[in-house]
Amino acid sequence: MDSLIENAVIKIKNSRHTTALTGAGISVESGIPPFRGAGSLWEKYDPMKYAEISYFLKHPEEVWKVFLSDMKDTLVKAKPNKGHLGLAELEKRGFLANIITQNIDGLHQKAGNTDVIEFHGSFARFYCLECQNRKKVEEIDLTKLPPRCSCGGIFRPDCVFFGEMIPPESLSRANTEASQCDVILVVGTSAVVQPAASIPVTAKTGGACVIEINPSPTPLTNTVADITLTGNAGDVMTKILEKL
Ligand code: NAD
Ligand code: ZN
């Protein structure tokens, strides 16, 4: 493991432009369950129902009661962990240009990263379905569900539900970053949700070194990934920073 960390550190030091792709795994140590595996959201709710846009638009009260109010409680309490803070430190020390994240929890910004491409939008922001009035997550009042705007419209999170498009500007920036970077750190993603899963492949095709950080193997391991650092994001980021 130590020699793999050293190899990764050399690649990061020699890179002119490094980006990161993060997924739900980086936020597990902040108490936010991932989508798949033990203790996941998938086990608790049927995401194809509750995280699907047409179901939400037809049954906003049920989706707010069962799913979104629980998500809001979890996300407002969550704090960045050593994985997020490590990526923020990498940016501060000039080793990381930006982050492409599939997460909607806003923890990279809370950790201090300044250029975060939110591939699936953000649960930190809400808007009214009728008048587009915007609110921060902290301003959403859950005493009566679904939460409503002063115009009577229902609030929804500014994140991408199943059945919705990736924001075109995020998709295009992510593709540009992937094709131009020298190194991509792929942290805590199962690399199965498209189109995010193709970002490491785009990077690799463009000649980048793909460094994966994950406690479990993924479809990238031993295929697209040049270096796989097996472990939790917090531990591995701490080791990388010690050696940089
Ligand atoms: P995923 O749930 O499919 O996979 C999580 C991955 O993280 C797995 O490969 C797992 O082995 C790994 N992992 C678990 N613990 C880890 C740790 N401590 N450190 C590093 N890695 C760890 O996640 P995904 O690939 O991001 O896809 C799920 C989709 O669900 C994403 O599109 C995302 O938008 C959404 N989601 C977001 C959040 C969030 O914002 N925090 C939470 C759940 C789901
Ligand atoms: Zn409104």
Side-chain angles (χ1 to χ4, degrees):
M1 180 66 171
D2 272 3
S3 69
L4 287 178
I5 295 269
E6 272 159 25
N7 287 348
V9 165
I10 291 168
K11 294 285 183 191
I12 294 168
K13 274 186 176 162
N14 291 339
S15 165
R16 279 168 301 127
H17 194 88
T18 295
T19 189
L21 171 68
T22 63
I26 196 170
S27 297
V28 166
E29 292 164 84
S30 294
I32 304 175
F35 253 20
R36 290 170 191 75
S40 60
L41 294 173
W42 230 256
E43 282 184 340
K44 209 165 157 191
Y45 312 105
D46 176 0
M48 292 322 283
K49 186 170 163 186
Y50 291 114
E52 209 271 319
I53 190 62
S54 59
Y55 194 85
F56 172 67
L57 294 175
K58 271 190 220 126
H59 309 280
E61 187 175 341
E62 182 193 353
V63 175
W64 261 108
K65 280 188 178 156
V66 177
F67 181 52
L68 294 177
S69 49
D70 190 5
M71 288 271 287
K72 178 181 181 282
D73 284 346
T74 306
L75 294 189
V76 289
K77 276 188 235 139
K79 293 197 172 58
N81 65 56
K82 284 182 186 163
H84 303 104
L85 296 169
L87 289 178
E89 179 71 19
L90 275 188
E91 180 191 312
K92 222 159 114 197
R93 288 164 63 176
F95 292 115
L96 182 67
N98 46 42
I99 298 176
I100 305 159
T101 189
Q102 299 167 80
N103 296 343
I104 54 165
D105 53 36
L107 291 180
H108 289 305
Q109 290 91 333
K110 277 194 190 161
N113 283 97
T114 58
D115 189 4
V116 182
I117 303 166
E118 293 176 321
F119 210 69
H120 292 156
S122 175
F123 207 87
R125 306 180 295 266
F126 283 71
Y127 65 89
C128 165
L129 285 170
E130 298 301 325
C131 74
Q132 322 296 315
N133 176 22
R134 300 182 78 81
K135 284 226 188 290
K136 293 187 187 138
V137 64
E138 303 83 16
E139 296 166 341
I140 296 287
D141 178 8
L142 297 187
T143 42
K144 255 181 96 189
L145 294 176
R148 287 184 188 272
C149 172
S150 51
C151 83
I154 292 169
F155 279 111
R156 64 158 284 176
D158 192 5
C159 52
V160 177
F161 281 67
F162 287 115
E164 292 190 298
M165 291 204 352
I166 305 293
E169 66 284 7
S170 303
L171 188 60
S172 125
R173 265 208 81 199
N175 280 329
T176 307
E177 285 303 320
S179 45
Q180 292 178 355
C181 68
D182 298 322
V183 169
I184 185 163
L185 302 170
V186 182
V187 192
T189 174
S190 59
V192 293
V193 181
Q194 288 293 358
S198 66
I199 292 171
V201 180
T202 305
K204 175 94 172 179
T205 310
C209 172
V210 178
I211 302 174
E212 179 181 41
I213 301 173
N214 201 307
S216 309
T218 74
L220 303 177
T221 313
N222 298 325
T223 56
V224 174
D226 296 288
I227 302 173
T228 293
L229 304 172
T230 306
N232 290 342
D235 296 338
V236 175
M237 284 309 305
T238 304
K239 285 187 187 148
I240 289 177
L241 284 165
E242 276 167 11
K243 295 220 184 293
L244 257 179

